[in-house]
Every structure is written in structure tokens, then in C-alpha cells.
Amino acid sequence: EALRPLSGLAGPRAARLEGLARMHRGDFDPAIGCFSRTLSEWPEDGEARHYRAMARATLANVEGGGGVDSRGRLREAIGDYEEVIARDPGHVTARTNCAVARAMLAKADSESGADAREGFRKAIEDCAAAIALKPTHGEAYLARGAAWDGLARAEHFLGVDPREHFRSAIEDFGAMLEHFPRHVTARIGRGVAWWGMADAEHLRGIDPRTSYR
């Protein structure tokens, strides 16, 4: 079903608003086209670029869940986020969202057999910058916890002791829970990181029961 024309609006602003409406409907590919139209006429529109990155990353997540190689879309999303950050270094949400996209790409690379550690490290750096700008930004702790966990597992696969990184993941998920005690994803993430820690301890002849608890 086509969207009704936006009354009284035309040009890049209308295209951006149409893109937002399509994003809310879950029509991510057409939304990307709308934001691209806005940027072709108004390249300085940082919010349109940010929304396009979000649409690209969300579509990549949907496609990846269906078995499609979505890494190209993730690279495009990261490119948009990087340009938003270059133009507006204080954009905390863009830094956090960029970290999420980097971690998604690193995870996909890792699953294909590539060494994805650098991608996880860059995600951690993005989150650290976001936290420095806004120490109460819980989503940055959540994203960094996930990136630490991903880095730990990537190093574990390569035979590197991952326990330090699992500890960092546990700390970040805990920080998120300090701000939002009922955040289910953070609680699950911390539990998964503790499980990874226990496995790493067991492989090194250390009693893992404390971690399992």
C-alpha cells in the first residue's frame, strides 16, 4: 500500500519524513531509498544519514536471520554512521549504533571463519567514546558488553585466554543493570558471559563452579 502524499511538503524534508514513516512500517528498503533522495539534495542532513544507517543495519539483521549474507549492508551502515560522527562528534546515539553494527559485522565475519577481533575492538572503542560523552547512556554499556563477549569468543577460538574480556563483558552488563535493573537483555548477556567464563576456566583446570553460580 502506497503512503499518502505528505501534505504541503516537498523536496528533501518530505523524503526524510516518508523514510521515517516507511521505517516504522518495517519497509526498510524503500526507507533507504527515501533517505538517499534526501541526501542527494541535502548531503548535510545528518539525521537522514543516521536514519539511513539505522534502516540499513536493521535490514541487515532481518536478512541475516534468514540466512542471507548481510555484511555489505552492514558496511554501508557503518560508513553512514562514521560520516555522521565525523560531522557531529558528540552524537552519542550514532556512536552506540555504529558499535552495534560493527559487532554484528564482526560476528558475521567470525562465523565465516575470518579473524574478526579488530571489528569487536572498534565497537568497544565506539562505546567507550559514547560513555565518555554520556556516562549514563545505558545502551552503550549494553553494546560494549556484547562486543567484549564477542571478542572473548573470537580469541577463545584462536586459543587466546578470553577470561579478561569475559570479565569486562560482565562488568558492562552489570553497569547497564545498575541503570536499568529490569533490563532482560543485559541480564541474559551477563549470564551468557559468566557461562563463557566458566567454560574458559574449566578448560584451564580451574574449578568453574563459582562462575556457574
Side-chain angles (χ1 to χ4, degrees):
E1 182 184 352
L3 293 174
R4 294 181 180 179
L6 296 167
S7 177
L9 293 175
R13 184 169 177 236
R16 170 153 56 91
L17 291 174
E18 182 183 344
L20 282 170
R22 291 191 180 280
M23 273 184 70
H24 286 304
R25 287 163 53 111
D27 296 334
F28 298 109
D29 222 357
I32 292 166
C34 291
F35 298 132
S36 294
R37 289 205 309 275
T38 296
L39 291 164
S40 69
E41 297 183 50
W42 188 11
E44 297 79 16
D45 188 347
E47 287 309 295
R49 196 173 299 281
H50 187 214
Y51 292 138
R52 186 172 72 175
M54 292 171 64
R56 282 172 162 167
T58 305
L59 184 56
N61 192 39
V62 172
E63 290 178 340
V68 176
D69 187 345
S70 58
R71 288 177 290 177
R73 288 198 188 277
L74 286 169
R75 292 187 188 98
E76 290 174 340
I78 291 166
D80 274 341
Y81 284 131
E82 287 177 336
E83 187 156 350
V84 171
I85 294 164
R87 292 172 180 268
D88 181 6
H91 201 309
V92 174
T93 304
R95 287 186 181 276
T96 304
N97 288 344
C98 188
V100 172
R102 287 193 201 280
M104 289 170 62
L105 178 58
K107 185 174 184 293
D109 283 340
S110 181
E111 289 172 350
S112 71
D115 184 350
R117 290 177 293 174
E118 186 61 24
F120 287 120
R121 291 189 185 105
K122 287 182 177 179
I124 290 163
E125 290 171 5
D126 283 334
C127 291
I131 291 166
L133 289 164
K134 187 177 179 182
T136 59
H137 188 55
E139 293 299 320
Y141 291 101
L142 183 68
R144 190 169 67 176
W148 277 123
D149 186 90
L151 179 58
R153 293 175 192 282
E155 296 212 317
H156 181 58
F157 179 77
L158 294 170
V160 180
D161 186 347
R163 288 176 294 168
E164 181 181 347
H165 298 327
F166 278 127
R167 288 188 194 99
S168 296
I170 290 162
E171 289 174 4
D172 276 338
F173 288 128
M176 177 64 172
L177 289 166
E178 287 179 10
H179 295 292
F180 304 96
R182 297 185 179 181
H183 199 287
V184 175
T185 303
R187 201 164 291 280
I188 292 171
R190 187 169 65 176
V192 170
W194 273 120
W195 190 278
M197 173 75 85
D199 282 349
E201 288 175 339
H202 179 67
L203 286 171
R204 287 162 178 79
I206 301 169
D207 186 347
R209 286 178 291 181
T210 300
S211 295
Y212 280 129
R213 293 192 188 104

